Amino acid sequence: MAATRNIIPPKFNDITGAIRMLAVDAVQKANSGHPGAPMGMAEIADVLWNRHLRHNPANPKWPDRDRFVLSNGHGSMLIYALLHLSGYDLPIEELKRFRQMHSRTPGHPEYGYTPGIETTGGPLGQGITNAVGMAMAEKLLAAEFNKPGHEIVNHRTYVFMGDGCMMEGISHEACALAGTWGLGKLTAFWDDNNISIDGHVDGWFTDDTPKRFEAYGWHVVEVQGHDPEAIDAAIKAGNAVTDKPTLICCKTIIGAGSPNKADTHDVHGAALGDAEVAATREHIGWKYPPFEIPKHVYEAWDARTKGEGLEKLWNNKFAEYKAAYPKEAAEFTRRIKGELPANWTAHAAEAIAKTNEKAETIATRKASQNAINALVPALPEFLGGSADLTGSNLTNWTGCKHLRGKGTGNYISYGVREFGMAHIMNGMALHGGFLPFGGTFLMFSEYARNAIRMSALMKQRVIYVFTHDSIGLGEDGPTHQPVEQTATLRLIPNMQVWRPCDTVESAVAWVAAVERSDGPSSLVFSRQNLTFQKRDAATIASIAKGGYVLADAASPRLVLIATGSEVQLAMDAKKALGEQGIATRVVSMPSTNVFDKQDQAYKDSVLLPGVHKVAIEAGVTGGWYKYVGLDGAVIGMDSFGESAPAPELFKHFGFTTENIVKTAKSVL
C-alpha cells in the first residue's frame, strides 16, 4: 500500500531508532499500546525537537517556551521517548512502567503526571483544539505585554495530529477559527499514514485535507514524512508565514521499521509480538537490548544545555523589560502564576455588598453580566466569549474589546462552535495568563460535554456560563429546555456547578469561580426574572458554602430545599405552610458540589437530620434523594418539556405553591 502512495521510506539510524525501539519495547512489555504512530513519526519528531523546538528540560514551565502537543495521544510513547531522550525528569524506569499503575507514563499523556506534558491528549481532535487555544493565548498576551524592543512573549505552538484528529468534528471547529484568527505561530503536523483502527481509511476518510485547510486560511505544505530535509524546509517556510497557521501534511508509513506489519492496522493499537520485535531490531539496525540507549544517542538528543541557554537569554530579556516597565513586569508575573490581584478580596466583597444593596429582581443571566462588570476592573486576565449567543448569554461587559478576524481583544465570538470554544478555553488556561470564560445555552453544554469533562480532569480554571437553565425559557420547547443537564454536570468529578436564585447568589457564584484554582465551574443562569431574596450579612457569607438556611422557623417540622428559580416557590410555600401551622425552613442550595464538601456538622445544622424534607428543582429528581432520604419527596421533572410560555409550563409540571404544600403535607 505504501508504494502506491508514493512514499519514500525512511533511512534508518540510531537517532530515530531510539524513538522507534523505545516505543516498540515499552508497548511490548506492557502488552498494550500504540507503537505505529511513534514509529511512523520518528523523523518528524527528530527534526522538530532537535532543530526547532525551544524548550528547557530543566524547567518545563519556562513562560516563553514553545508548546508541543501530541493530539494523536494514543501514540504516547512518542512523547515519552522524546522527553526522556532530551533530558526531562522522566527516567528510563518510567518508560519500562508504561501504562502501569501510578507510573508517569500513562496510556495517554496526562497533564500533571509527567514533566513536559502540556495537555491531556486523550480524545482525538482535542489536542489540536488545545493548541489553537495556546496559540491564541500567546498572540493576545504578546499584544498586551510586548513593548518596542522588548518581546517577552514570542513562542510557537507545535502539534502532531493523525487521521482520527482530522475526522473528529472538533478539529473543524478549532481549525476554522485558527485560520480566521491568523495564528501565524501555530504549526500542525498531520501524520498522513492512511490507517486507523479499522484499516486503510480510503473507505471512510476521503477528504481533500490540504484543500480543506487552505479554505480555512491556513498555509499548507505537503512533504514526505520520512525526509528530514523536506520536513525542516517546511517548518522554516511555515515559520516565515506570520499571518496564517501552518499545516504540514506528512506522508508516512505507520509502523515504519516493522518489516511485516508496517502500513497495516496491526501496528496501530497492539504490541508487535516477540518475533516481530526481533525482526524490527534487525531491520532498522538497532543493536541494543530493550530500554538500553547508547551514550552517543543520549548526547545527540540532550537538550539541557541548549535549553538552559535559551531560558537564560529570556531571563536577561525579562530583566531588561522589568527595569523599563516594572508595573507591566509585575502584572505579567502575577498573571502567569495564576495569582489573583492583591486587592481582589476587598474588591470581590464590595461587589457582593453593592449587589445586595441594589436588591434587584432580574434574570440571573443579567445578574451574571452585572457581576462580570463589577469584577472586570480587578481582573484584566478575564477573556470572555460566547458561542454566537452574546445577546442571550450576556457574557460581554462595558468596555470589552470585541476580537474580530485577525485582530486582538478580550471578548471572543466563537461562532456556533460550543465544543471548540470549550476546549480552546482549556488551551488558553493551560497556556497561562488568562482566565477564560464562555457562554452558551445550558442545553448546548451537551455539544461541549467532553471538553467540559477535560477541564475537570486537568483541573483547569475555566468558567462555563450556561443560561436558559430550565423550562423557564418557555416557547422554544423541549429541544432547548434543559432537564437533565444541571444534574449531569454535577456528576462530573471536580466540577463545581452553581445555580443561583438571585443577584446576590449570582455574584457569590462568580467570585467562587474566580477564586477556584483547582478546577472549572459551571454557572447556570435563568432567562426569566427571579425575585431578590433579603439576607443579613451572616446569611450572605454562608452562600459560599453551597447550601445555607435562607429562611427559618422555630422548631421546623419540614425543610424545603431548592435552587434557582424554584427558591421563590419554596419561600411562598413556607408562608402557606406556616399559615397552616407547619413550621418550615427553606434551604437554598446553589451548589450541591460545594455543599457536599462542608463538614458534617455544618451540613447537619442546615438540613436537620430527622426532619422531613422536600427538594424542588426544575430538573431530573434522582440526585436529590441523598438529601431528602427515601421518606422525603422531590418535585422535579423526569420527562422532557413542552413548548409554551414559561408560567404555563411551571404550572403544568407541578412547580406551584399549591403542589409544594400538598407534597410537603404528604411526607409529614
Side-chain angles (χ1 to χ4, degrees):
M1 192 68 183
T4 63
R5 295 172 62 229
N6 298 316
I7 298 177
I8 301 172
K11 296 179 180 178
F12 301 115
N13 58 55
D14 282 356
I15 306 304
T16 54
I19 295 175
R20 290 189 165 97
M21 292 315 301
L22 282 172
V24 166
D25 291 331
V27 171
Q28 185 66 24
K29 188 173 189 297
N31 195 29
S32 173
H34 298 73
M39 298 173 76
M41 298 191 79
E43 283 75 26
I44 306 168
D46 171 28
V47 173
L48 176 62
W49 279 61
N50 285 322
R51 303 191 197 183
H52 294 277
L53 194 69
R54 297 171 60 255
H55 63 119
N56 182 9
N59 182 11
K61 294 296 186 182
W62 165 37
D64 204 39
R65 69 193 180 279
D66 288 343
R67 270 61 169 180
F68 174 77
V69 173
L70 185 70
S71 189
N72 46 343
H74 53 271
S76 56
M77 267 309 303
L78 174 59
I79 194 167
Y80 298 147
L82 292 167
L83 293 170
H84 170 73
L85 291 169
S86 58
Y88 284 78
D89 181 20
L90 190 66
I92 196 70
E93 287 74 20
E94 291 292 339
L95 275 65
K96 294 177 182 178
R97 298 180 61 231
F98 178 54
R99 287 186 165 227
Q100 305 308 300
M101 182 72 76
H102 302 313
S103 76
R104 287 192 283 167
T105 50
H108 288 74
E110 299 280 353
Y111 179 79
Y113 282 58
T114 315
I117 298 296
E118 300 283 3
T119 185
T120 297
L124 294 177
Q126 297 205 35
I128 176 62
T129 308
N130 281 165
V132 170
M134 292 174 184
M136 187 55 153
E138 190 277 342
K139 176 180 179 177
L140 297 179
L141 210 62
E144 184 175 355
F145 284 99
N146 286 351
K147 305 293 182 182
H150 297 276
E151 289 194 344
I152 59 167
V153 182
N154 185 18
H155 53 267
R156 311 191 72 86
T157 302
Y158 296 101
V159 55
F160 285 179
M161 56 195 298
D163 288 336
C165 296
M166 290 295 192
M167 285 185 261
E168 287 287 359
I170 190 173
S171 72
H172 297 252
E173 297 183 25
C175 293
L177 279 171
T180 298
W181 292 340
L183 300 181
K185 291 183 180 176
L186 172 65
T187 299
F189 299 80
W190 170 34
D191 181 27
D192 179 13
N193 60 35
N194 206 46
I195 292 287
S196 66
I197 290 176
D198 279 357
H200 288 90
V201 300
D202 306 87
W204 52 88
F205 180 43
T206 58
D207 305 9
D208 190 332
T209 299
K211 287 185 179 178
R212 169 187 152 196
F213 275 75
E214 287 173 356
Y216 289 156
W218 287 54
H219 166 72
V220 180
V221 187
E222 298 182 62
V223 300
Q224 291 288 332
H226 301 299
D227 181 345
E229 299 312 314
I231 297 165
D232 183 60
I235 295 172
K236 290 177 179 176
N239 289 353
V241 177
T242 59
D243 64 342
K244 294 181 179 181
T246 293
L247 176 69
I248 303 177
C249 307
C250 304
K251 293 188 180 297
T252 63
I253 303 168
I254 191 171
S258 170
N260 301 302
K261 295 188 176 183
D263 197 39
T264 72
H265 68 278
D266 295 329
V267 77
H268 183 283
L272 297 184
D274 290 335
E276 189 65 9
V277 169
T280 300
R281 267 187 163 73
E282 182 176 353
H283 185 64
I284 71 171
W286 186 257
K287 304 173 183 178
Y288 314 100
F291 302 105
E292 181 178 311
I293 305 296
K295 182 180 178 181
H296 73 277
V297 173
Y298 274 129
E299 289 174 347
W301 275 102
D302 193 347
R304 289 173 293 185
T305 300
K306 179 182 177 182
E308 181 182 1
L310 288 169
E311 184 176 359
K312 185 176 180 179
L313 286 173
W314 183 83
N315 287 337
N316 292 338
K317 185 183 297 185
F318 188 73
E320 295 173 359
Y321 180 86
K322 185 176 181 179
Y325 303 97
K327 182 179 178 181
E328 289 84 351
E331 177 67 4
F332 177 82
T333 300
R334 178 189 74 79
R335 296 262 296 270
I336 290 297
K337 289 182 177 179
E339 297 174 348
L340 290 172
N343 67 338
W344 166 254
T345 301
H347 187 95
E350 182 181 6
I352 294 170
K354 287 184 176 180
T355 300
N356 186 56
E357 290 171 10
K358 289 182 179 179
E360 294 177 294
T361 290
I362 55 177
T364 52
R365 60 173 175 160
K366 180 60 180 176
S368 167
Q369 186 178 49
N370 291 347
I372 294 169
N373 269 294
L375 299 178
V376 155
L379 293 171
E381 57 264 51
F382 258 170
L383 182 54
S386 173
D388 203 50
L389 289 169
T390 295
S392 294
N393 299 149
L394 303 182
T395 37
N396 57 345
W397 63 91
T398 303
C400 67
K401 183 181 178 183
H402 204 138
L403 185 153
R404 296 187 182 279
K406 297 183 179 182
T408 60
N410 56 7
Y411 188 84
I412 300 172
S413 287
Y414 290 91
V416 187
R417 300 182 180 96
E418 296 86 0
F419 195 5
M421 174 184 73
H423 225 38
I424 285 171
M425 291 196 298
N426 282 335
M428 292 168 171
L430 287 159
H431 179 278
F434 292 102
L435 200 176
F437 66 88
T440 187
F441 290 167
L442 177 58
M443 177 55 71
F444 301 157
S445 66
E446 298 293 347
Y447 284 124
R449 179 69 55 151
N450 202 267
I452 295 169
R453 182 179 186 270
M454 297 294 281
S455 303
L457 191 151
M458 293 190 288
K459 302 179 180 178
Q460 291 305 296
R461 186 173 61 163
V462 175
I463 301 175
Y464 295 99
V465 179
F466 296 125
T467 67
H468 296 60
D469 68 342
S470 71
I471 55 171
L473 67 87
E475 293 86 345
D476 274 343
T479 62
H480 282 53
Q481 292 168 1
V483 174
E484 75 276 20
Q485 282 65 38
T486 299
T488 56
L489 286 169
R490 289 171 180 146
L491 292 175
I492 300 174
N494 199 41
M495 172 61 73
Q496 288 187 0
V497 181
W498 292 82
R499 186 175 183 242
C501 76
D502 70 352
T503 56
V504 175
E505 283 191 1
S506 298
V508 171
W510 262 105
V511 170
V514 169
E515 292 181 348
R516 189 174 186 218
S517 61
D518 61 350
S521 301
S522 292
L523 310 184
V524 180
F525 298 116
S526 73
R527 176 180 185 263
Q528 74 275 29
N529 289 347
L530 303 188
T531 304
F532 172 79
Q533 304 295 334
K534 293 182 180 180
R535 305 171 182 84
D536 58 24
T539 306
I540 292 173
S542 297
I543 297 172
K545 295 183 178 181
Y548 65 100
V549 179
L550 176 62
D552 212 355
S555 303
R557 295 175 55 199
L558 182 75
V559 177
L560 299 178
I561 310 168
T563 77
S565 52
E566 290 71 70
V567 168
Q568 183 57 46
L569 284 172
M571 293 291 284
D572 294 341
K574 168 186 165 58
K575 180 180 178 182
L577 287 163
E579 291 171 352
Q580 298 180 39
I582 301 173
T584 303
R585 167 181 286 189
V586 173
V587 170
S588 178
M589 197 176 288
S591 178
T592 61
N593 308 103
V594 174
F595 180 76
D596 288 347
K597 291 182 178 180
Q598 305 307 313
D599 61 56
Q600 193 61 46
Y602 177 77
K603 289 187 284 189
D604 288 347
S605 74
V606 172
L607 294 182
L608 301 177
V611 176
H612 291 291
K613 301 172 186 67
V614 176
I616 311 133
E617 185 175 61
V620 291
T621 61
W624 287 106
Y625 284 98
K626 71 176 180 179
Y627 303 108
V628 304
L630 295 180
D631 59 346
V634 181
I635 298 172
M637 292 185 64
D638 291 312
S639 66
F640 296 113
E642 296 285 347
S643 181
E648 293 182 30
L649 290 167
F650 277 108
K651 183 178 180 180
H652 175 77
F653 287 104
F655 296 101
T656 64
T657 302
E658 293 76 16
N659 188 44
I660 296 172
V661 169
K662 178 183 175 182
T663 304
K665 291 170 72 174
S666 74
V667 304
L668 290 176

